[in-house]
Amino acid sequence: MKHASDRKKGFTLVEMMMALVISTVVFAAMGVLLGKTFSLWMDGAGHWYLANQARAARARILSGPMGAGTGVLSIDGIKSIKTNPNWCTLEYAVASSGEKYWMKGSVENPASKDRSIFFKNNHGGGQTWLMLVGRKRGNHDEPDVKTESFNATLTDKVLSLSYDLKFQTGGRTYERAQRIRAYLVNE
């Protein structure tokens, strides 16, 4: 007669298979959860980055792309607003100096490097991007946030600027529509 103490200790094949199935299900669930968490984190980071860039772009348009007092808040007069199939150009003078500046934005995106808003003064100086933060592409820096469209209108001393910002990262595209309305009190 065998005693209970004579049995060999260990796991049966059925117990091993059950443990393997349970651990596989648990690790698969953890992998899905981790992947979803990382995806949400990347999505939030993309939206956060674009929101910060939108805030910086708005401040730059309002206060001055070429230094304080050269932006929309200092406009003394609108010289012209011209739109063609590729560009919308706003030419304006500022109150402090009477100097002329222009803002030029892509309407139908003629080339990927031109998908932005540019500023220039009329003294023959170079133009500058709306977005300063960028990355090196070829021989020059380009902003990583692009402006996909730009429109300027003037109605009863109210200047309306609208533009769409676009940022691509990690295979995703983030977009943010922007609108600035300014009543031109200096005119």
Side-chain angles (χ1 to χ4, degrees):
M1 188 178 258
K2 289 188 176 184
H3 291 292
S5 61
D6 291 341
R7 289 188 192 159
K8 294 188 178 186
K9 295 180 182 180
F11 296 108
T12 66
L13 182 60
V14 173
E15 291 171 332
M16 290 295 291
M17 294 299 286
M18 289 297 290
L20 183 62
V21 167
I22 291 170
S23 61
T24 300
V25 168
V26 167
F27 285 123
M30 287 174 49
V32 168
L33 182 63
L34 184 61
K36 192 67 164 168
T37 301
F38 184 69
S39 176
L40 288 172
W41 178 78
M42 289 294 293
D43 198 37
H47 284 293
W48 176 83
Y49 183 77
L50 187 57
N52 280 336
Q53 293 301 313
R55 217 173 2 261
R58 183 180 189 86
R60 195 155 191 241
I61 287 172
L62 291 174
S63 67
M66 304 294 200
T70 62
V72 169
L73 293 178
S74 301
I75 286 180
D76 188 31
I78 302 291
K79 300 302 179 190
S80 69
I81 297 176
K82 297 176 185 168
T83 303
N84 66 38
N86 295 324
W87 300 99
C88 179
T89 305
L90 166 67
E91 186 177 3
Y92 62 95
V94 295
S96 60
S97 66
E99 189 172 340
K100 293 180 189 172
Y101 294 91
W102 54 258
M103 245 183 278
K104 177 179 177 182
S106 170
V107 175
E108 291 187 7
N109 307 322
S112 74
K113 69 177 182 144
D114 294 332
R115 292 180 186 169
S116 192
I117 298 173
F118 301 93
F119 299 100
K120 185 175 181 179
N121 65 16
N122 285 356
H123 286 297
Q127 63 188 21
T128 183
W129 300 88
L130 167 66
M131 305 304 298
L132 292 177
V133 177
R135 53 183 158 211
K136 193 78 167 167
R137 296 199 182 160
N139 295 329
H140 61 285
D141 290 329
E142 284 186 23
D144 50 2
V145 175
K146 301 289 188 176
T147 51
E148 291 291 312
S149 67
F150 175 71
N151 190 29
T153 58
L154 180 64
T155 308
D156 297 327
K157 291 191 175 187
V158 177
L159 175 66
S160 294
L161 302 174
S162 59
Y163 53 98
D164 296 319
L165 298 179
K166 186 180 270 190
F167 173 60
Q168 294 178 324
T169 185
R172 293 187 178 164
T173 301
Y174 303 94
E175 296 182 46
R176 191 178 212 46
Q178 300 291 296
R179 181 175 203 110
I180 296 174
R181 295 185 71 186
Y183 184 71
L184 304 178
V185 296
N186 295 329
E187 280 199 328

